[in-house]
Each structure stands twice: as structure tokens, then as C-alpha cells.
Amino acid sequence: MIVIKIGGGAEIDHEAILRDLKRQLDGGERAVVIHGANHEMKIISEQLGKPPRMITSVSGYESRYTDAETIEIFNMVYAGKVNTMLVALAHRLGINAVGLSGVDGGLLRGPRKKALKVVENGKRMIIRDDHSGRIEDVNVDLLRTLLDAGYTPLISPPALSDEGEPINVDGDRAAACIAAALGADRLIILSNVPGLLRDKDDESTLIDRVDRRRMDEFETFAEGRMKKKTMGAAEAIDQGVGEVIFADARIDDPIEHALRHEGTVIS
Amino acid sequence: MIVIKIGGGAEIDHEAILRDLKRQLDGGERAVVIHGANHEMKIISEQLGKPPRMITSVSGYESRYTDAETIEIFNMVYAGKVNTMLVALAHRLGINAVGLSGVDGGLLRGPRKKALKVVENGKRMIIRDDHSGRIEDVNVDLLRTLLDAGYTPLISPPALSDEGEPINVDGDRAAACIAAALGADRLIILSNVPGLLRDKDDESTLIDRVDRRRMDEFETFAEGRMKKKTMGAAEAIDQGVGEVIFADARIDDPIEHALRHEGTVIS
């Protein structure tokens, strides 16, 4: 079983990824896919007069400020626009995909963060109207039911809060939770970088292997969105996933390349 | 088995409907729900600078003009915003709902209409860039797989065209196809009218029973969106659904009232 996270960046070649996925499935592999939609979210939010606003937690993690209006746009873009587009594309390529958000069947559940401690312009503040949270439970039965019936689940945030409201959750950490819950052999995180870089502006500085026990040393190289990826990777390994591979989504056969350990392998 | 279509009008009380559905499910009934999102579609389309444009076919049926840009907004609003909102609400009320669009697992499939013959300002024209179509196949296995595993499917358009593209399909006719494919005892169509009216502006002129064999006489009373509902009802009965009930979605316990034959019963 492999779990594949497809990044939501602008340069991602969805057709190349799903074509490669089809080959893996034809070879007898089982897969679950999770995707982002960051680039589309920016476009639609701006069209609706509600441009994205990022916030930084006191511990230094960046995330999207998700007020009541933003979570509705989030649902539209992630579960509506991008998920439907990807499921239709999968069908055109011969993959019998079923799109799910984390709300469906309570697939991804957890508490909403009621008070976010953030730093803005050097000042500490508490945000109380944020609709984001953290995943504590994965409905593995729903995934197995669909997999056993021959479908490939194609999953998108939001998740479902303990109070039954849609909440924004990080896609990389969602992928890690799903991989852990399924006991996957591999979690492949495809995005618009070749992996973890020593210098984020120089793709030749790729770190090719990271030992989980020495993860802390490498986390200093992770900036911005890469911070959540390394956090998710550590969580996945700690919960029994064989290996996590950060790999390039912008090339042909990106899954095949990732399986050949071209990227950053964490184990 | 009952199939329930929830209209997409402005005055629909979703919570009253899903609360009533929960009671039916607790009483041992199995159900599949299909919903519209017409009112939300109008709001979001206007916000995105692309107000809805209706077209009338040469045979007198009104439908939404769905160009490439509109189908993307349609996916966002139907499969993203409204479906996610309803699935989350269902979970808050104790219903283990799974949201699906017709694209998922090829749930609703059929040909895209490549040339629409329409009348505009008295002139006949052919529209070739419309992304709408008609359902010919329902993936009943996917619905049964989910029902057997204890989930309540909550379905929204779009459907999947034979070429693998999302297409706009009428929600009432989709509900009729699903009810027929499942061999449902009853199809309940809830909307913001009490049923089929002799005079559409006078709710006291409700037609309480319609014999399918005499349907043609009653179709003259159906105007605008009601035309598709009567067409869907006739299709459902012809394919073996026990009865179709048009009923009021704006009241408490709307399903219970419909089951008591308060509305228009077609059989």
C-alpha cells in the first residue's frame, strides 16, 4: 500500500502523476491519494475579494487564517473544484477514483483549535475565529471498504471537527495520518521541489537520506511549508510507516522516480 | 428504500429535512439523498462576475447555460460548498453521511450534449460549448457498497460524461435515475412548493394525485423547473419506482408529511 500526497502548487503536472499512478495500480499496487489546492485557493479567494492571509504560530509554523468565510471558499476549492477535476482526470486515465473530503463518513476527525497563539508584526495575539484543527482519527474502514470494492480514494481536506464542522487541516499532515492509519509501506509527498534542500534556493543541495533519529538536525533546513512536511514525515514514521519520500511532482513518472529513491528518503 | 431529492431553492430548511431523515433511518429505513444548489449557484456565480444564464430548448425546457467556466463554478458550489455543508450537518445530526458527486466512481454517467438547439429572443440557435448532458448509467454497486457498510450517500451533480468530463445534469432527473436504478419504493422530491399546482401562483390549487397513464394532461400545469420534475417522475415510474411524491421542503418533518401523501403523489 502506498499513500501519495499531491501538492497544490502551480507547477504540478496532475496528468503525469495520475498516469504514473495508473501504471502502479496495473502492477498490483494499492494506493490512496491526498491532494492540496493551494494555488487554486489563492486564485479563487482573490476573485471573491478575500485574498489569503497567512499567520505564524508562536512556535514558528505558518498556516492559513481560516475564518468562517474562508472555510466556505476552502470547501469549494478543495472538495469542489480541484477534487472533482482530479477525479474526472483519473477516470479519463482509467483509474476508478472516488473523491472524498475528510468530512465524508467522518474520514478525518479531530478537534478544532479554539485559540491560536500567533505572532503578527512581532506582537503576540490570540485568534479565536479560526476554523482549523488537527486530525486525531482516520476512518480506515471507509477507505478499506472502497479499496476492497476496487476504487481508488482521492482525498482532500477539510476534516470534520469533533463538533461536526468542516475544518482546515494541513494536507501533508493529513497524508501522514492516513498513511499511518493504513499501515502503508510508503508515503510519497510530491511537490514542486525535488525534496528537502540544504539551501532552499539551490536544488543541487538536495538531502537524499534522513534518519528519523537524526531528524532534528535536518529540521533546521525546512522553511515555510516544508516545516509541515518534515513534521508529517516524523509523525508517519513514528506511527509505523516504512518510509517517507519527498519527491519532485514536476517531472514525468514522478511516482516511479520517488520509488527509486530520487528525492529525500526519511526512514 | 427511499430516495429523497432536496431542492436547491432559498427557503429550504436543511436541518428540518435531515432531522426527519435521521428519524426515518432510526426506524430502519434505508435512504439515498440527492441535492440541488441553485440558490447558492446564483450567489457565487454573481460574486465571480459570471451571473447565471438560462437557455430554453426548442421543446420548451429551461436549463442552465454551462460553458467551460460555469461547469467549474458548478463543481465548486454543488460538490464543494453545498455538499460539504450538508454532509457536515448530517454528521452533527447523527447521520453517517458520505458525500458523492456523480463523477465519483462514475456514479452518474452519460453523454454530453454536443449541440443544444435553443430558442433565444424568438430565434433558433445551436450551442456547442455547453457542458451538460443526460444520465444513462448509475453505478448502483457503489451506492450498495456504502449502504451495506452503514453509510448514507448524499449525492450532488455533476455527472461524468462518456469522455470523462464533469457535466451539468438536472438534479430531479438524476434523482429519478438513481431511484429507478436502486428499485426504490418511493422517490420524494422536496422543494419550495407544496407540489404540482393547477395555478402556480396559488398554493391552494394543489393537485393531490396523478395517475402516470394520465400524466400528459397534468404536464400542462408544469412550468419552468416543475417541467423537469414531472419528466423525472414519469421516467422513475416507467422504470419501476413505486411512487413519486412532490412535497414541501419548507415545513417541519417534510419527509414524514410526504410519506403521509401530503403533496402530489404520482403512481
Side-chain angles (χ1 to χ4, degrees), chain B residues 134-187:
Chain B
R134 152 182 114 246
I135 299 164
E136 284 185 349
D137 268 317
V138 176
N139 180 353
V140 182
D141 285 344
L142 176 56
L143 297 179
R144 288 202 201 285
T145 297
L146 290 168
L147 287 162
D148 290 346
Y151 300 101
T152 298
L154 221 155
I155 303 167
S156 135
L160 187 66
S161 79
D162 293 333
E163 288 77 32
E165 297 279 358
I167 46 173
N168 175 5
V169 290
D170 179 69
D172 293 311
R173 294 182 71 190
C177 290
I178 291 166
L182 284 165
D185 310 304
R186 286 180 194 86
L187 166 61

Side-chain angles (χ1 to χ4, degrees), chain B residues 191-259:
Chain B
S191 72
N192 52 5
V193 286
L196 184 58
L197 306 173
R198 278 179 198 277
D199 172 358
K200 75 171 172 50
D201 299 316
D202 181 356
E203 297 199 352
S204 73
T205 64
L206 179 75
I207 299 166
D208 59 356
R209 273 205 94 87
V210 174
D211 185 321
R212 168 66 185 99
R213 286 160 298 184
R214 294 179 55 209
M215 192 84 177
D216 292 350
E217 300 166 36
F218 291 95
E219 278 184 347
T220 55
F221 300 115
E223 288 185 44
R225 297 187 63 79
M226 190 48 90
K227 277 198 169 194
K228 294 254 174 95
K229 291 189 202 299
T230 55
M231 191 196 267
E235 287 165 351
I237 300 287
D238 291 348
Q239 290 174 74
V241 175
E243 60 183 20
V244 180
I245 307 154
F246 295 161
D248 203 325
R250 301 164 302 177
I251 57 174
D252 274 346
D253 308 330
I255 300 170
E256 190 59 41
H257 283 276
L259 290 173

Side-chain angles (χ1 to χ4, degrees), chain A residues 105-183:
Chain A
L107 176 60
L108 306 174
R109 293 198 83 137
R112 175 178 161 196
K113 289 176 196 154
K114 272 153 196 137
L116 281 185
K117 290 176 199 156
V118 301
V119 184
E120 205 165 65
N121 303 324
K123 270 195 296 199
R124 284 179 171 237
M125 334 175 2
I126 292 184
I127 290 181
R128 295 189 193 276
D129 67 343
D130 195 74
H131 293 250
S132 65
R134 158 182 108 243
I135 299 165
E136 284 185 348
D137 268 316
V138 176
N139 180 352
V140 181
D141 285 345
L142 176 56
L143 297 179
R144 288 202 201 284
T145 297
L146 291 168
L147 286 163
D148 290 345
Y151 299 102
T152 298
L154 220 155
I155 304 168
S156 133
L160 188 66
S161 79
D162 294 334
E163 288 77 33
E165 298 278 358
I167 46 173
N168 175 6
V169 289
D170 178 69
D172 293 312
R173 293 182 71 189
C177 290
I178 291 167
L182 284 165

